[in-house]
Amino acid sequence: MTRGQDQKEKILLAASQVFGKKGFYDTKMIEVAELAGVSKGTIYLYYSSKDELYIETHVHRFRGYLKMIEEKVSRFSTLKEKLICIAEEQLAVFYNDRHTPNKYLQAYNNDPKMIQSLHEFLDHYHEYVTSVMEEENIENASEHAKAFIGMLENYKRDIFFDQHYDYSNLLKTVLFVVDLFINGCKRNVP
């Protein structure tokens, strides 16, 4: 890794931490610089604005997530194991950030580049989950992937706003969603 790449990586990691704690609007570039151990001017060698840094921080995170999920899922052999892994990792992102929900609520609506980056990530994530389902010969894999991701996405609110939601709840949610996805709804028969 070159010195420039190393500096850029430090800036992205620092920016991710500061944006995560303070949100987009309350983050100051000097705070990012101090945490990264570089001057404020050094940040502007790589990023022309706070908006650009914010977008690149998310793009970096999106790429890392996709790489991580592919690596983890490759360790499993059954569809159920793979879906449990995908579900746990998707919900863990929100769980790990549950004290900073603003990182998911700020700036996405304001910047077309951010919206495009988010859409590209979601498209790649959907394509990946679709490929997992295609490997398992699931009919209409793309629609099934969309439904599976969507079921998990709806639990984000619980993770962010239920003060009593802990990791054991997350694991119960994962198992419930995977079981529902694989087996369908069950009726209570009197």
Side-chain angles (χ1 to χ4, degrees), residues 129-157:
V129 177
T130 298
S131 74
V132 168
M133 293 189 182
E134 286 173 340
E135 289 172 8
E136 298 294 329
N137 296 314
I138 303 292
E139 284 187 37
N140 203 359
S142 178
E143 290 301 312
H144 279 87
K146 197 178 291 185
F148 184 70
I149 293 166
M151 286 193 305
L152 294 167
E153 187 70 20
N154 279 306
Y155 285 96
K156 179 170 50 178
R157 183 184 64 223

Side-chain angles (χ1 to χ4, degrees), residues 12-159:
L12 287 173
L13 292 174
S16 183
Q17 289 178 28
V18 178
F19 285 132
K21 286 180 186 172
K22 296 186 148 208
F24 175 79
Y25 299 109
D26 292 331
T27 293
K28 307 285 183 253
M29 293 296 267
I30 191 68
E31 297 166 319
V32 174
E34 288 171 358
L35 187 59
V38 300
S39 71
K40 187 175 168 183
T42 300
I43 293 176
Y44 287 107
L45 289 174
Y46 302 106
Y47 306 101
S48 63
S49 66
K50 183 168 87 168
D51 290 42
E52 185 180 348
L53 177 59
Y54 186 78
I55 292 167
E56 186 58 32
T57 299
H58 281 75
V59 168
H60 184 261
R61 188 172 181 189
F62 296 157
R63 286 185 192 133
Y65 179 82
L66 290 171
K67 184 177 177 182
M68 175 275 302
I69 195 79
E70 288 178 23
E71 195 277 322
K72 284 190 173 186
V73 170
S74 72
R75 298 177 193 163
F76 298 102
S77 57
T78 69
L79 175 62
K80 185 173 183 175
E81 292 170 329
K82 291 174 183 180
L83 293 179
I84 288 171
C85 181
I86 290 167
E88 183 176 357
E89 293 303 326
Q90 182 176 331
L91 293 181
V93 167
F94 303 122
Y95 184 81
N96 293 332
D97 289 338
R98 69 191 177 282
H99 301 296
T100 57
N102 283 343
K103 89 167 37 171
Y104 297 97
L105 305 174
Q106 291 183 346
Y108 288 133
N109 299 329
N110 298 334
D111 189 307
K113 289 180 184 175
M114 187 65 214
I115 293 168
Q116 179 183 349
S117 298
L118 179 61
H119 282 279
E120 287 173 4
F121 164 71
L122 293 173
D123 287 346
H124 290 302
Y125 184 56
H126 174 255
E127 288 168 11
Y128 174 69
V129 177
T130 298
S131 74
V132 168
M133 293 189 182
E134 286 173 340
E135 289 172 8
E136 298 294 329
N137 296 314
I138 303 292
E139 284 187 37
N140 203 359
S142 178
E143 290 301 312
H144 279 87
K146 197 178 291 185
F148 184 70
I149 293 166
M151 286 193 305
L152 294 167
E153 187 70 20
N154 279 306
Y155 285 96
K156 179 170 50 178
R157 183 184 64 223
D158 294 343
I159 293 169

